[in-house]
C-alpha cells in the first residue's frame, strides 16, 4: 500500500519526544521526620498461623512491582514448598478487599495493597508476615467500568526506595512515603493531560528508572466527553497528546513527554539493555477507531523515540495488555495480543539493530496472549494462547524460530459438594521461581509445573478458592505467597480478599 506523502509525515510526527509543557506541577509536601507507626489490627484482617522459619539456605527477594524484581515474571527465591499439604496451604493472614485487579508490592517488612473500598481508592501498608496495618490512605473516585467489570484500580503499586507510587483507575497519580503513609505529591493526570476513561480505565503499572517515574498517560489534545457524537469522539481520540510521561520521583514534575496519538495500553513499561544501552519498551494502544497502537522504544534519559512498531488488533475494543518479553543476550523482544476474535493478530518476535530499529524475526497467530505475560526459559517462550476461557491453552514455543513445541489445556476433575466438575487453568498466570513454574489458574487453582521444550509436566495442585477473575500474577517474597481473590467465591460465597500463604519448605 502506497502512503500519501502528507500521511507519511503525520506518522513520523505522531511519536515525538520534545519539551512537553507541564500544565500543573504539583506542590511537594514538606514533613518533619516521623517514626514508622506501630502496626495495628483492623476490622478486615483475619490473622492465620505464623509461617515456618526460613531455611538458612533460602534466597529471598523483594517484590517491588507487578511482574517482580526483574520485570519478567521471575523470582530468585529458593527453598519453597513443592509438596502441597492435602488440607491446602497454610494461611498466614487474609484481608478482605474491595474492587480492582492489582498485586501487592513488597519491600522489607512493608506490603502495600491497592483497591477500591466503598467508592474510595485505598492504599494500605501492612506488615509482611502478620497483616497488621502500618497506615492507610484513601480518596473518593467516580468510576463505572464501561464493560461491567470491577470498579477499582488495575494498576498495581510500585515501591522504589522510600516511596510507593500508585496510579488509580481514573488516572490519579500519588507518591507516598513508604514508612509513614504521608502523601508527598499527587497529580490528576486525567484533567491535566485530557486522558479519556478508555475501556477499563487506567491500567498500566508505572516504572521507576533513574529517578524518573515512567507512566503510560494516554493523553489527548482535545477533551473527550459523553456529549460527543461518535464522529467527534473518533476524531478526538486520534489527536496526539502525552502518550508516555516521565515524572521526577521526588517532585512529580514532568521531565519529558512523548507526544503520540496512541493511547495508554494496559501493559506495563519495562527497561532493558539493547546493544549495551538502557532502553524503555512501552506497549501502547488505548481506545481508538480504527484501533492503533504498538511498541515504542525510548531513551529513558530524554524520551527520544527510536522505534514505533505498530502492533494492535484491528477490533475497536482490542487492547494491548501484555508487557514486552526480552530475550536475554539477543537484542530481541516479543510482543503479543489476543485480539481480534476468531483469527487473532497474535505475537511477533522483533530484533533491534544498533540504531534500535526493529525488524520482524517471526510471528505467530497461535501465540496470542490476552493479558498474562509469557515467560522465557531454556530457549522457549511459555504462555497462555487464547483470548477467551474456552480457547485458552498453555503452549511452548521455540523463541528462535517461532515453532510450536507443544500445547496443553491442563485439566482435572474437581469435587464440589459431592459432584465432580471439569476444571482447567484457563487464562492462567505463570511465575518462574525455584527452578519450576508456579501457575495460578483463572478460578483460583495453584500448580507447580515443570516446563521444558518438549513438554509440560503437571506436579502439585491445590485449590485456593473457586472464584473467577483470578487475573493477577501472584507475588513471592521471603518464602511467602501473596494472592488476590478479586470476585466472590462461587462455592462458599466468601468475599474478595488478599491472602498471604506460607510457601516455605
Amino acid at each position: 500500500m502506497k502512503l500519501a506523502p502528507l500521511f507519511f509525515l503525520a506518522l513520523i510526527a505522531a511519536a515525538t519526544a520534545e519539551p512537553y509543557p507541564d500544565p500543573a506541577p504539583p506542590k511537594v509536601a514538606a514533613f518533619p521526620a516521623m517514626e514508622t507507626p506501630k502496626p495495628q489490627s483492623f476490622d478486615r484482617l483475619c490473622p492465620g498461623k505464623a509461617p515456618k522459619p526460613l531455611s538458612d539456605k533460602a534466597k529471598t527477594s523483594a517484590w517491588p512491582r507487578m511482574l517482580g524484581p526483574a520485570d519478567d515474571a521471575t523470582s530468585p527465591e529458593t527453598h519453597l514448598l513443592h509438596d502441597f499439604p492435602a488440607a491446602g496451604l497454610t494461611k498466614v493472614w487474609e484481608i478482605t478487599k474491595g474492587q480492582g485487579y492489582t498485586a501487592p508490592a513488597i519491600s522489607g517488612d512493608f506490603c502495600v495493597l491497592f483497591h477500591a473500598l466503598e467508592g474510595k481508592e485505598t492504599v494500605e501498608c501492612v506488615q509482611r508476615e502478620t497483616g497488621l496495618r502500618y497506615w492507610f490512605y484513601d480518596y473518593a473516585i467516580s468510576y463505572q467500568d464501561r464493560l461491567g467489570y470491577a470498579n477499582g484500580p488495575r494498576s498495581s503499586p510500585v515501591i522504589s526506595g522510600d516511596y510507593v507510587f500508585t496510579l488509580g483507575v481514573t488516572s490519579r497519580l500519588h507518591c507516598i512515603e513508604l514508612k509513614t503513609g504521608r502523601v508527598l505529591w499527587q497529580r490528576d493526570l486525567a484533567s491535566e493531560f485530557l486522558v479519556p476513561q478508555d475501556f477499563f480505565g487506567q491500567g498500566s503499572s508505572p516504572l521507576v528508572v533513574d529517578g524518573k517515574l515512567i507512566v503510560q498517560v494516554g493523553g489527548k489534545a482535545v477533551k473527550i466527553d459523553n456529549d460527543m457524537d461518535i464522529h467527534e469522539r473518533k476524531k478526538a481520540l486520534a489527536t496526539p497528546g502525552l502518550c508516555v510521561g516521565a515524572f521526577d520521583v521526588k517532585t512529580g514534575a514532568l521531565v519529558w513527554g512523548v507526544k503520540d496519538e496512541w493511547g495508554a495500553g494496559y501493559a506495563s513499561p519495562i527497561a532493558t539493555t539493547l546493544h549495551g544501552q538502557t532502553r524503555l519498551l512501552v506497549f501502547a494502544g488505548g481506545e481508538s477507531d480504527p484501533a492503533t497502537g504498538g511498541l515504542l522504544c525510548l531513551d529513558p534519559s530524554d524520551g527520544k523515540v527510536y522505534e514505533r512498531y505498530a502492533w494492535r488488533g484491528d477490533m475497536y475494543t482490542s487492547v494491548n495488555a501484555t508487557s514486552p518479553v526480552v530475550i536475554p543476550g539477543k537484542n530481541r523482544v516479543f510482543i503479543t495480543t489476543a485480539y481480534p476474535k476468531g483469527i487473532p493478530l497474535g505475537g511477533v518476535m522483533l530484533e533491534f539493530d544498533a540504531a534500535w530499529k526493529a525488524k520482524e524475526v517471526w510471528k505467530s497467530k497461535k501465540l496470542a496472549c490476552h493479558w498474562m505475560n509469557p515467560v522465557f526459559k531454556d530457549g522457549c517462550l511459555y504462555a497462555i494462547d487464547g483470548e477467551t476461557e474456552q480457547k485458552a491453552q498453555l503452549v511452548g514455543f521455540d523463541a528462535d524460530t517461532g515453532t510450536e513445541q507443544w500445547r496443553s489445556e491442563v485439566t482435572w476433575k474437581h469435587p464440589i459438594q459431592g459432584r465432580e466438575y471439569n476444571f482447567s487453568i484457563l487464562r492462567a498466570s505463570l511465575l518462574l521461581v525455584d527452578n519450576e513454574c508456579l501457575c495460578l489458574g483463572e478460578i483460583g487453582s495453584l500448580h507447580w509445573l515443570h516446563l521444558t521444550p518438549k513438554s509440560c509436566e503437571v506436579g502439585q495442585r491445590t485449590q485456593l478458592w473457586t472464584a473467577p477473575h483470578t487475573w493477577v500474577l501472584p507475588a513471592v517474597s521471603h518464602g511467602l505467597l501473596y494472592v488476590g481473590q478479586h470476585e466472590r467465591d462461587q462455592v462458599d460465597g466468601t468475599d474478595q480478599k488478599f491472602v498471604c500463604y506460607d510457601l516455605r519448605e
Side-chain angles (χ1 to χ4, degrees):
M1 177 179 177
K2 188 175 181 180
L3 297 174
L6 287 178
F7 181 67
F8 180 74
L9 289 174
L11 282 178
I12 294 297
T16 57
E18 55 192 39
Y20 204 100
D22 193 336
K27 182 179 179 180
V28 181
F31 295 115
M34 175 181 167
E35 295 292 326
T36 302
K38 182 180 179 181
Q40 304 285 333
S41 185
F42 58 108
D43 58 354
R44 292 182 293 104
L45 171 64
C46 179
K49 184 178 179 182
K52 297 185 291 291
L54 270 168
S55 166
D56 293 337
K57 299 178 180 179
K59 292 182 181 179
T60 62
S61 173
W63 189 274
R65 193 163 167 262
M66 183 187 67
L67 290 177
D71 286 318
D72 59 359
T74 70
S75 168
E77 298 254 335
T78 63
H79 291 269
L80 300 179
L81 181 67
H82 286 255
D83 293 323
F84 294 155
L89 294 180
T90 299
K91 286 186 183 180
V92 179
W93 52 258
E94 69 175 54
I95 294 172
T96 303
K97 70 180 287 289
Q99 297 191 64
Y101 309 103
T102 64
I106 302 148
S107 178
D109 278 340
F110 302 105
C111 173
V112 179
L113 311 174
F114 188 34
H115 50 126
L117 276 170
E118 300 177 350
K120 294 182 178 181
E121 280 191 324
T122 302
V123 190
E124 48 195 341
C125 180
V126 302
Q127 206 279 334
R128 186 186 70 210
E129 291 195 9
T130 65
L132 297 175
R133 190 167 66 188
Y134 289 107
W135 54 260
F136 81 97
Y137 169 74
D138 62 15
Y139 54 92
I141 59 168
S142 178
Y143 174 77
Q144 185 71 37
D145 191 85
R146 286 164 55 189
L147 297 184
Y149 293 99
N151 298 320
R154 277 85 170 137
S155 170
S156 296
V158 177
I159 297 175
S160 179
D162 296 330
Y163 308 123
V164 56
F165 302 94
T166 61
L167 179 60
V169 72
T170 62
S171 300
R172 295 277 297 275
L173 180 64
H174 285 83
C175 173
I176 303 172
E177 194 172 47
L178 176 61
K179 295 181 180 180
T180 67
R182 298 183 295 189
V183 176
L184 301 177
W185 56 261
Q186 57 182 298
R187 303 195 65 145
D188 185 347
L189 302 184
S191 62
E192 295 170 18
F193 298 102
L194 306 182
V195 181
Q197 177 177 311
D198 215 332
F199 301 114
F200 311 104
Q202 180 65 262
S204 171
S205 299
L207 169 70
V208 176
V209 179
D210 296 332
K212 293 180 284 293
L213 184 70
I214 312 301
V215 180
Q216 276 212 64
V217 179
K220 299 298 174 184
V222 179
K223 184 177 181 180
I224 299 171
D225 57 48
N226 295 330
D227 295 329
M228 287 180 168
D229 65 31
I230 188 170
H231 301 291
E232 290 175 320
R233 183 179 182 87
K234 181 177 178 180
K235 184 177 180 181
L237 286 169
T239 62
L242 183 62
C243 176
V244 183
F247 300 88
D248 186 285
V249 296
K250 294 183 179 179
T251 68
L254 184 64
V255 179
W256 55 254
V258 172
K259 188 177 182 180
D260 199 308
E261 67 178 16
W262 287 356
Y266 292 87
S268 297
I270 65 169
T272 191
T273 301
L274 297 172
H275 293 282
Q277 298 292 320
T278 301
R279 293 292 174 256
L280 295 176
L281 299 174
V282 183
F283 197 25
E287 181 182 0
S288 56
D289 188 10
T292 58
L295 183 67
L296 295 169
C297 179
L298 312 174
D299 189 320
S301 65
D302 59 9
K304 180 179 179 180
V305 181
Y306 291 101
E307 181 60 291
R308 184 178 186 266
Y309 187 88
W311 194 259
R312 172 84 182 276
D314 60 7
M315 199 170 86
Y316 167 63
T317 54
S318 71
V319 298
N320 287 339
T322 297
S323 292
V325 180
V326 175
I327 308 303
K330 295 199 172 184
N331 299 306
R332 290 185 177 185
V333 177
F334 179 75
I335 55 175
T336 178
T337 180
Y339 295 91
K341 289 180 168 66
I343 304 177
L345 182 62
V348 59
M349 181 68 74
L350 302 175
E351 184 171 316
F352 286 83
D353 63 20
W356 301 287
K357 295 296 182 183
K359 68 175 182 179
E360 179 185 303
V361 179
W362 56 263
K363 60 184 178 181
S364 175
K365 295 182 182 296
K366 295 182 178 181
L367 187 46
C369 302
H370 197 163
W371 65 80
M372 61 295 299
N373 253 69
V375 291
F376 175 77
K377 176 178 178 285
D378 299 332
C380 278
L381 286 167
Y382 302 102
I384 301 294
D385 169 51
E387 180 196 354
T388 63
E389 297 96 322
Q390 293 80 8
K391 294 181 179 179
Q393 292 181 317
L394 178 62
V395 297
F397 271 68
D398 186 289
D400 283 336
T401 65
T403 303
E404 182 179 314
Q405 304 294 90
W406 52 261
R407 65 178 52 228
S408 171
E409 292 186 349
V410 188
T411 60
W412 66 97
K413 298 285 187 181
H414 183 72
I416 298 177
Q417 298 175 350
R419 295 181 59 185
E420 283 197 335
Y421 294 84
N422 294 320
F423 270 34
S424 168
I425 61 172
L426 303 176
R427 296 170 297 184
S429 297
L430 307 177
L431 170 62
L432 298 182
V433 60
D434 204 16
N435 296 315
E436 295 288 359
C437 177
L438 195 61
C439 170
L440 179 64
E442 187 173 358
I443 54 175
S445 58
L446 187 72
H447 313 249
W448 279 114
L449 305 177
H450 183 59
L451 305 179
T452 73
K454 294 183 178 180
S455 67
C456 166
E457 298 176 12
V458 181
Q460 295 283 299
R461 180 187 74 245
T462 189
Q463 198 73 33
L464 304 180
W465 49 71
T466 309
H469 301 177
T470 305
W471 286 344
V472 183
L473 187 72
V476 173
S477 182
H478 290 81
L480 303 180
L481 175 72
Y482 301 83
V483 194
Q485 177 189 326
H486 307 301
E487 296 290 338
R488 186 180 293 273
D489 194 295
Q490 300 296 292
V491 176
D492 62 20
T494 52
D495 288 332
Q496 304 103 301
K497 54 185 176 285
F498 290 113
V499 188
C500 173
Y501 293 99
D502 188 358
L503 203 61
R504 298 172 181 174
E505 66 177 9

